[in-house]
């Protein structure tokens, strides 16, 4: 696992998990936490398990909404910036082989990315 920064804030970071034998599929994994708590590190077990199954996984952090700072749409902007950074900086990240996943807040942000950046569902059915 390697950590990269996709922005200037310390929370604008991602962990990249590379499989030993890549199956050609990439997952962007976004943590939950009610917008104000959580960290990509809590997804380590899931990301490691997915990488063991052949998936390339990027677990994202985003700026948290704390004490009237980093309110909407900061988190949407951060996950979009992370996605753009991945496409520009990680050669195996291609827009046509990425699925977005997450739970709670991460699920909302994954749906946002899927609807604004993703491929139609039919293109992702073999994930």
């Amino acid at each position: 696992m390697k950590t990269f920064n996709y922005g200037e804030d310390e929370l604008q970071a991602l962990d990249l998990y590379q499989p030993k034998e890549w199956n050609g599929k990439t997952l962007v994994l976004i943590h939950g936490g009610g917008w104000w708590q959580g960290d990509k590190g809590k997804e380590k077990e899931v990301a490691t398990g997915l990488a063991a199954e052949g998936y390339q996984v990027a677990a994202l952090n985003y700026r948290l909404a704390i004490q009237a700072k980093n309110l909407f749409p900061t988190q949407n902007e951060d996950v979009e910036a992370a996605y753009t950074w991945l496409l520009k900086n990680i050669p195996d990240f291609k827009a046509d082989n990425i699925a977005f996943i997450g739970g709670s807040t991460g699920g909302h942000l994954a749906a946002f990315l899927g609807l604004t950046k993703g491929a139609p569902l039919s293109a992702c059915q073999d994930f």
Side-chain angles (χ1 to χ4, degrees):
M1 184 264 301
K2 291 183 181 178
T3 301
F4 299 94
N5 289 89
Y6 64 86
E8 294 181 11
D9 190 282
E10 67 183 68
L11 287 174
Q12 292 174 307
L14 61 92
D15 292 339
L16 184 61
Y17 296 81
Q18 297 284 8
K20 288 181 182 174
E21 292 185 36
W22 186 39
N23 64 14
K25 309 292 184 195
T26 299
L27 301 172
V28 175
L29 175 59
I30 308 169
H31 73 82
W35 309 104
W36 61 275
Q37 64 180 350
D39 183 83
K40 61 185 170 41
K42 78 178 204 172
E43 303 296 346
K44 183 177 183 174
E45 185 176 339
V46 172
T48 301
L50 290 167
E53 294 296 320
Y55 294 94
Q56 178 177 238
V57 181
L60 309 184
N61 261 0
Y62 48 85
R63 290 173 289 171
L64 303 173
I66 301 173
Q67 298 176 351
K69 183 179 175 190
N70 298 327
L71 300 179
F72 179 84
T74 300
Q75 296 74 29
N76 290 19
E77 293 167 350
D78 281 1
V79 297
E80 188 172 25
Y83 171 74
T84 300
W85 184 93
L86 286 163
L87 290 175
K88 288 182 180 178
N89 293 283
I90 306 297
D92 291 335
F93 269 74
K94 306 287 184 213
D96 62 351
N97 73 342
I98 296 176
F100 309 101
I101 61 174
S104 189
T105 303
H108 176 270
L109 293 168
F112 164 76
L113 280 175
L115 290 168
T116 60
K117 303 293 181 188
L121 181 60
S122 62
C124 299
Q125 288 179 346
D126 61 347
F127 270 87

